[in-house]
């Protein structure tokens, strides 16, 4: 049994932790606790609740308005780990600079980045987006079509990235990707980058943009990129989507083709 004196001695320490890491506690509350409570109360998954909001409040066929509606939902209703407006500017600028004709997205989620990429692509370009969760993929497809993009522009592939990547050439007709956007599980970044290399899916000069490399972080991925000699790289310092007080970053890589 802890004495009252010892318990009181810990109060300043606990208060200091709460103040210093209050933004992380708030993130945990919004992203985990509040979401689970709403799941139990409504019986509807978070992605479906977000889709109903977007369907009700956005303008069909207007990609930018759909993204703004997602931002409103994530700011004022429930947290979604979408790309968010700050990081969206980095990705959008990169697409305009590189003008890729083939883009591979790993991790469709709610299709926020998918819509941003699709509406920024040059004429005749094509986006392949991979989502492992079948239910999330079904919601994402509705949002993609709501934004006005058909199968000729965006092909949604349902499956695990480590299974899909080796099949991209023969099954899906993607022989090389000019741009790869990684927004899926951070622990999969390194494995999937090496799979892209092994299956010759990265032409010389290909660009890879990886999200959340600072928080929650992808240290093994960054270590490999820096040590391999295959990439020119830089880190775009940002904040976590919808949480400006939490530092984050996006890694931009350029494949040199050197082995």
């Amino acid at each position: 049994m802890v004495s009252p004196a010892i318990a009181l001695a810990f109060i300043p320490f606990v208060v200091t932790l709460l103040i210093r890491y209050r933004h992380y506690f708030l993130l945990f509350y919004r992203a985990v606790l509040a979401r689970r409570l709403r799941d139990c109360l409504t019986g509807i998954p978070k992605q479906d609740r977000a889709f109903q909001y977007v369907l009700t409040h956005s303008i069909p066929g207007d990609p930018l308005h759909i993204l703004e509606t997602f931002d409103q939902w994530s700011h004022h209703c429930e947290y979604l780990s979408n790309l968010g407006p700050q990081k969206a500017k980095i990705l959008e600028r990169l697409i305009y600079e590189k003008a890729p004709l083939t883009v591979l997205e790993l991790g469709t989620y709610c299709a926020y980045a998918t819509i941003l990429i699709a509406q920024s692509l040059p004429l005749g370009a094509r986006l392949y987006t991979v989502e492992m969760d079948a239910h999330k993929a079904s919601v994402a497809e509705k949002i993609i079509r709501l934004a006005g993009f058909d199968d000729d522009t965006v092909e949604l592939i349902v499956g695990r990235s480590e299974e899909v990547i080796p099949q991209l050439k023969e099954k899906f007709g993607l022989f090389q990707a000019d741009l790869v956007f990684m927004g899926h599980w951070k622990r999969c970044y390194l494995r999937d980058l090496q799979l892209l290399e092994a299956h010759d899916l990265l032409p010389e000069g290909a660009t890879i943009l990886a999200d959340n490399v600072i928080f929650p972080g992808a240290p093994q991925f960054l270590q490999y990129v820096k040590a391999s000699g295959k990439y020119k790289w830089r880190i775009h310092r940002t904040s976590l989507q919808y949480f400006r007080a939490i530092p984050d970053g996006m890694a931009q890589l350029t494949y040199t083709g050197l082995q």
Side-chain angles (χ1 to χ4, degrees):
M1 191 75 177
V2 179
S3 71
I6 296 176
L8 286 172
F10 273 96
I11 290 177
F13 174 70
V14 172
V15 170
T16 300
L17 283 180
L18 289 173
I19 293 173
R20 179 174 295 179
Y21 297 106
R22 63 190 182 278
H23 301 292
Y24 296 90
F25 287 122
L26 180 59
L27 173 63
F28 178 74
Y29 169 75
R30 292 194 62 200
V32 180
L33 299 182
R35 188 260 302 170
R36 289 182 178 175
L37 179 61
R38 289 190 176 97
D39 286 351
C40 292
L41 292 176
T42 64
I44 302 171
K46 177 174 62 175
Q47 288 76 20
D48 294 79
R49 296 195 295 271
F51 171 66
Q52 290 301 321
Y53 183 88
V54 170
L55 187 63
T56 303
H57 294 84
S58 66
I59 301 172
D62 187 336
L64 291 179
H65 193 264
I66 289 173
L67 296 181
E68 290 172 0
T69 306
F70 262 126
D71 291 333
Q72 291 171 5
W73 169 267
S74 298
H75 274 301
H76 305 296
C77 300
E78 294 185 60
Y79 177 78
L80 286 174
S81 55
N82 289 325
L83 193 63
Q86 183 188 21
K87 293 178 177 179
K89 292 178 182 178
I90 296 171
L91 177 55
E92 188 176 36
R93 183 172 64 247
L94 189 61
I95 294 173
Y96 285 136
E97 288 176 358
K98 303 297 182 180
L101 294 178
T102 52
V103 179
L104 174 64
E105 179 188 21
L106 300 177
T108 314
Y109 194 46
C110 290
Y112 185 105
T114 310
I115 292 172
L116 177 76
I117 295 169
Q119 66 93 28
S120 305
L121 288 176
L123 187 65
R126 186 168 173 80
L127 166 62
Y128 299 80
T129 181
V130 181
E131 173 55 54
M132 64 174 289
D133 187 286
H135 181 72
K136 289 178 182 176
S138 68
V139 175
E141 184 168 16
K142 294 174 186 175
I143 295 170
I144 292 167
R145 305 315 169 207
L146 181 69
F149 300 110
D150 58 20
D151 289 329
D152 292 332
T153 303
V154 179
E155 180 168 355
L156 176 59
I157 302 170
V158 182
R160 301 177 68 88
S161 56
E162 71 270 26
E163 297 172 356
V164 171
I165 290 173
Q167 300 177 333
L168 284 172
K169 288 184 177 181
E170 293 186 2
K171 190 171 181 179
F172 300 101
L174 174 60
F175 294 95
Q176 288 189 318
D178 299 320
L179 173 67
V180 179
F181 176 64
M182 293 182 168
H184 58 324
W185 292 105
K186 316 316 156 198
R187 64 175 181 268
C188 301
Y189 281 12
L190 175 56
R191 179 202 66 198
D192 289 348
L193 182 65
Q194 291 174 330
L195 277 174
L196 291 169
E197 294 172 359
H199 290 275
D200 194 28
L201 287 160
L202 298 175
E204 184 177 350
T207 300
I208 300 95
L209 187 65
D211 193 15
N212 301 125
V213 296
I214 304 298
F215 182 84
Q220 292 181 328
F221 170 80
L222 292 179
Q223 183 179 13
Y224 171 79
V225 167
K226 295 173 184 178
S228 68
K230 299 177 182 179
Y231 299 93
K232 296 178 182 178
W233 60 275
R234 60 173 296 192
I235 302 294
H236 296 276
R237 297 285 176 173
T238 66
S239 57
L240 184 68
Q241 42 270 43
Y242 312 116
F243 275 86
R244 286 195 170 273
I246 298 179
D248 195 11
M250 305 176 83
Q252 178 182 333
L253 322 177
T254 302
Y255 184 58
T256 63
L258 300 176
Q259 301 295 328

